[in-house]
Amino acid sequence: MKQIIKRTIQKIGFDLKRMTPFDNPAFQILLGLQKFHIDLVFDVGANTGQFAQQLRTVGYSGRILSFEPLSDAYAKLIENSARDPKWEVHDRCAIGDNEGEISINIAGNSLSSSILPMLKAHSSADVVSAYVGSEIVALRRLDSVALDYVGDSTNFFVKIDTQGFEWQVLEGGLSTLKRARGVLLELSLVPLYEGQRLWRDLVNRLESEGFILWALQKGFTDPRDGRTLQADAIFFRE
């Protein structure tokens, strides 16, 4: 039966393969979530919910709480999460180290949007990432919102995708981070946004707070010369 299904799928241009952590980044994350018994994922910088959807696709069935500041992406996020009772979406806001309001720059590809000004190293490597506008959004600290959702969760995981604003998210989530079992964030190897902290600062900080670097995943690569500009890093507290 498996061979029949496989041949049928191949006829329409696809293939059927067993998921492995070598060729499926989401599955690699899932294995970590399972090993450390993660039952809640904070999805900071959710965009339209791509990360949460990938987790669901590979089999994560625990709770997810998403945060997203951009109005267009937020509307789609609400739509994508609507039929998933374990996937909540917080009120539209950016997450950082203060409370109030802040301007966020909107990238042409949406995914590269950031509170920080974008540098040429980024926009020249991906021309559709250039900023096309901005919005004023509410700014919240992770500590002021996240712990209200923890409930009886004993092992939660914090994913941060904020395009250069990772340090500020960590600064505003000191108490949350002390209780987190794992973290996923982007590490920039070169400056892509004005004022951002680079990979070494972030790795040193998380290691000093008791996390170990568990895995690195391919991120943003300059197509002109093959240089890695960003990588996704997964940390766990053993």
Side-chain angles (χ1 to χ4, degrees):
M1 176 63 72
K2 183 188 295 185
Q3 291 302 316
I4 294 174
I5 295 173
K6 186 173 183 178
R7 285 196 297 269
T8 302
I9 292 174
Q10 288 174 336
K11 285 180 180 179
I12 59 175
F14 296 92
D15 199 3
L16 182 64
K17 294 182 179 180
R18 182 183 297 275
M19 288 190 297
T20 74
F22 305 107
D23 55 21
N24 189 315
F27 186 64
Q28 183 181 29
I29 295 170
L30 175 69
L31 294 180
L33 299 183
Q34 291 175 337
K35 177 178 176 61
F36 293 97
H37 308 291
I38 302 299
D39 51 12
L40 170 61
V41 173
F42 289 110
D43 177 18
V44 179
N47 199 250
T48 62
Q50 298 94 323
F51 180 76
Q53 290 173 320
Q54 289 168 1
L55 289 185
R56 289 292 191 241
T57 297
V58 296
Y60 174 71
S61 59
R63 294 171 58 209
I64 301 172
L65 175 66
S66 293
F67 298 89
E68 172 55 37
L70 298 180
S71 57
D72 287 349
Y74 185 83
K76 187 66 175 178
L77 175 63
I78 292 294
E79 179 183 334
N80 288 337
S81 64
R83 297 183 181 181
D84 189 332
K86 289 188 176 182
W87 181 4
E88 298 179 76
V89 179
H90 188 73
D91 294 342
R92 185 167 74 93
C93 67
I95 300 296
D97 55 353
N98 285 294
E99 301 276 334
E101 291 186 334
I102 201 164
S103 177
I104 184 168
N105 301 294
I106 304 171
N109 64 1
S110 183
L111 293 170
S112 300
S113 302
S114 176
I115 289 171
L116 302 177
M118 182 182 292
L119 298 176
K120 188 176 181 180
H122 191 306
S123 58
S124 60
D126 182 9
V127 293
V128 298
S129 69
Y131 290 154
V132 295
S134 63
E135 291 182 336
I136 300 297
V137 298
L139 180 66
R140 304 294 306 277
R141 294 166 54 251
L142 193 60
D143 280 350
S144 70
V145 292
L147 295 181
D148 291 339
Y149 290 92
V150 171
D152 57 1
S153 172
T154 55
N155 295 296
F156 61 85
F157 183 85
V158 181
K159 167 260 184 183
I160 304 171
D161 184 357
T162 52
Q163 299 299 313
F165 210 60
E166 296 82 11
W167 191 270
Q168 289 86 343
V169 174
L170 296 175
E171 282 290 291
L174 299 177
S175 297
T176 305
L177 220 51
K178 286 180 181 177
R179 295 179 55 181
R181 194 72 190 273
V183 176
L184 184 155
L185 47 69
E186 286 183 324
L187 301 179
S188 289
L189 279 62
V190 300
L192 300 174
Y193 296 91
E194 186 177 312
Q196 76 173 119
R197 297 289 191 110
L198 298 183
W199 68 275
R200 196 182 304 274
D201 287 341
L202 290 164
V203 171
N204 288 344
R205 174 172 188 158
L206 287 172
E207 287 184 342
S208 72
E209 295 181 10
F211 294 95
I212 62 170
L213 181 57
W214 190 260
L216 288 171
Q217 297 182 336
K218 183 179 178 181
F220 179 24
T221 299
D222 191 329
R224 300 167 299 177
D225 58 14
R227 183 177 187 179
T228 298
L229 304 177
Q230 281 180 333
D232 292 332
I234 304 165
F235 297 82
F236 282 106
R237 192 195 306 277
E238 288 196 290

